[in-house]
Amino acid sequence: MSRQPFHHGNLRAELLERAEAVLRERGVEKLSLRELARDAGVSHGAPRSHFIDRGALLDALAERGFDRLAKAVEAAVRTLPKDSRTDFGLLRAAGSAYLDFAAHNPDLAALMVAAKADDTSRPVHDAALRLFTTMTALVTTALSPRFNDRETAERLTLLLSATVQGICSLMTSGRISATQGDALLDDAIHVFIAGAVSNTP
Amino acid sequence: MSRQPFHHGNLRAELLERAEAVLRERGVEKLSLRELARDAGVSHGAPRSHFIDRGALLDALAERGFDRLAKAVEAAVRTLPKDSRTDFGLLRAAGSAYLDFAAHNPDLAALMVAAKADDTSRPVHDAALRLFTTMTALVTTALSPRFNDRETAERLTLLLSATVQGICSLMTSGRISATQGDALLDDAIHVFIAGAVSNTP
DNA sequence: ACCTGAACACCGTTCAAGT
DNA sequence: ACCTGAACACCGTTCAAGT
């Protein structure tokens, strides 16, 4: 009945939770396995049982980031008022969710982008694909009158994702303000829709 | 006449040179001031005279990266054969230079994107602005028949830059292959041109 | 102005050992 | 299966001192 049971029982989850907070509040540089262990009241070697190394923890964070972002995008689209459910409105809502996520979790967003698709980081890549699937469904819904083949949908989604992601980077790196980012997103979606129309067979 | 003069005379430049190589060959994680100092045959405290801390070195690398990229873009456009100097051809050449740079210097590209616009990293931001100026001139040249106000040029350039940069990220993170990146760039520029036309007053 | 070298306070990683 | 704790080999940063 010790208050600190030998088996923490929840260490992995707690480390991730705490790591996300550190990431938000102090950045990747300051994220240390040893400090995480200390804060969890566990020895410095303990995290090793859950994450083979620091990179594995970062990968796990990126993976969770992609899933959270996908959920945020889905929620933004779902809660969109009926009169805003135009093609533009839908894509704009998704893009905004993206930007908000990046603005509130800049270092996590950077981690997600940086995470290489190694053999070891397969879960990260899969999570990125899940987000891509969400985005593809959305683009298909928004632009469905214009085309109906899946390949076109995926190419356009890739393009939109890249663009939105680029806007996020400009914002988080301070190249443009949040307001400018919002305006740029508007431009992006206008151009995207207009350009997609004239480039779709 | 010692072979190791007390004043190295060129330490800053040598550290940067060597750092770029390490960045390319082994990644940011492996970039250490102490190792750089060792390789330069200098004490571990010496870099302090040129870079206040590790972050300052990374900022200097990012700054140089932006200037190299700007030069690469300019060269790509300049050496473009006459019969390729269409609006599409010009933008495509610039985008390709961008992608090539990122493909060959993924960690440097990540550093450039990550570099926050702090008060301390003003030079990085200025270098980013110089690249933006280059890009604006290019977009203006390519699309000049369609508009003539500077504000439109800058908004469109920002959009194109964000998109190209997003494609770079997808590539360097292994989300898409270099071939897919190339195809995506084609799509991007087609959509960009078509969309820009119908969105320009 | 630029560099040295000791000192300090951290790291990540490994691994035998414990429960 | 999960965690401990010592050990190792690195770091970045600071700073008085040297040239």
Side-chain angles (χ1 to χ4, degrees):
Chain A
M1 59 156 284
S2 64
R3 307 151 101 283
Q4 297 279 116
F6 182 82
H7 284 85
H8 185 285
N10 208 22
L11 186 55
R12 198 191 128 95
E14 189 171 327
L15 289 174
L16 285 171
E17 198 86 19
R18 191 79 199 98
E20 282 173 358
V22 173
L23 208 54
R24 232 178 298 112
E25 294 158 15
R26 295 191 286 140
V28 221
E29 309 271 80
K30 302 293 179 188
L31 192 59
S32 120
L33 289 175
R34 284 179 107 109
E35 186 187 305
L36 252 29
R38 276 196 301 272
D39 289 355
V42 102
S43 88
H44 70 255
R48 220 341 183 47
S49 303
H50 304 280
F51 305 102
I52 187 71
D53 59 17
R54 191 174 183 267
L57 172 67
L58 298 185
D59 280 348
L61 291 172
E63 183 189 348
R64 286 161 61 97
F66 276 116
D67 285 334
R68 275 174 50 202
L69 176 50
K71 284 215 177 68
V73 168
E74 285 161 13
V77 168
R78 199 172 42 241
T79 62
L80 198 66
K82 278 226 175 67
D83 62 335
S84 298
R85 302 184 75 83
T86 58
D87 47 4
F88 179 84
L90 281 169
L91 298 181
R92 159 90 224 195
S96 274
Y98 225 108
L99 257 61
D100 285 348
F101 179 87
H104 291 99
N105 309 273
D107 280 55
L108 179 54
L111 223 55
M112 291 157 59
V113 169
K116 308 265 196 268
D118 290 315
D119 9 332
T120 70
S121 62
R122 188 60 191 278
V124 187
H125 194 245
D126 288 347
L129 286 181
R130 287 194 290 276
L131 172 59
F132 181 70
T133 302
T134 297
M135 292 293 288
T136 306
L138 182 61
V139 168
T140 304
T141 303
L143 266 48
S144 65
R146 277 90 164 192
F147 62 86
N148 52 13
D149 63 311
R150 189 191 162 110
E151 205 252 322
T152 303
E154 292 189 344
R155 277 173 47 210
L156 289 175
T157 304
L158 218 44
L159 176 55
L160 182 65
S161 300
T163 302
V164 172
Q165 218 253 83
I167 297 173
C168 285
S169 294
L170 288 177
M171 248 183 51
T172 54
S173 64
R175 242 45 94 200
I176 59 175
S177 70
T179 319
Q180 285 177 293
D182 249 48
L184 187 51
L185 178 62
D186 267 8
D187 284 355
I189 296 180
H190 277 128
V191 168
F192 177 74
I193 292 177
V197 170
S198 45
N199 270 275
T200 309
Chain B
M1 59 157 288
S2 65
R3 305 151 104 286
Q4 296 280 117
F6 182 83
H7 284 84
H8 185 286
N10 209 21
L11 186 55
R12 198 191 128 97
E14 189 171 327
L15 289 173
L16 285 170
E17 199 85 17
R18 192 77 199 100
E20 280 172 1
V22 174
L23 207 54
R24 232 179 299 115
E25 293 158 17
R26 297 190 287 141
V28 220
E29 309 270 79
K30 302 293 178 189
L31 190 60
S32 119
L33 289 175
R34 285 179 105 109
E35 187 188 304
L36 253 29
R38 275 196 302 273
D39 290 355
V42 101
S43 88
H44 69 257
R48 223 329 180 60
S49 303
H50 304 279
F51 305 103
I52 186 72
D53 59 19
R54 189 175 184 268
L57 172 68
L58 298 185
D59 280 348
L61 290 172
E63 184 189 346
R64 286 162 60 98
F66 275 117
D67 285 334
R68 273 174 52 201
L69 176 51
K71 284 215 177 67
V73 168
E74 284 161 13
V77 169
R78 199 173 41 239
T79 62
L80 197 67
K82 278 227 175 66
D83 61 335
S84 297
R85 302 184 76 83
T86 59
D87 49 3
F88 178 84
L90 281 168
L91 298 181
R92 160 89 224 197
S96 274
Y98 224 107
L99 257 61
D100 285 347
F101 179 87
H104 291 99
N105 310 273
D107 279 55
L108 178 54
L111 222 55
M112 290 156 61
V113 170
K116 307 265 197 262
D118 291 314
D119 9 333
T120 70
S121 62
R122 187 59 191 279
V124 186
H125 194 246
D126 288 346
L129 285 182
R130 286 193 291 275
L131 172 59
F132 181 69
T133 301
T134 296
M135 293 292 289
T136 306
L138 181 62
V139 168
T140 303
T141 303
L143 266 49
S144 64
R146 278 88 164 193
F147 61 86
N148 51 12
D149 63 310
R150 190 192 161 108
E151 205 252 322
T152 303
E154 293 190 343
R155 277 173 48 210
L156 289 177
T157 304
L158 218 45
L159 177 55
L160 182 65
S161 301
T163 303
V164 172
Q165 217 253 82
I167 297 174
C168 286
S169 294
L170 288 176
M171 249 183 50
T172 54
S173 65
R175 242 45 96 200
I176 59 175
S177 69
T179 320
Q180 285 177 294
D182 249 48
L184 187 51
L185 178 63
D186 267 7
D187 285 355
I189 295 180
H190 277 127
V191 168
F192 176 73
I193 292 178
V197 170
S198 46
N199 269 275
T200 308

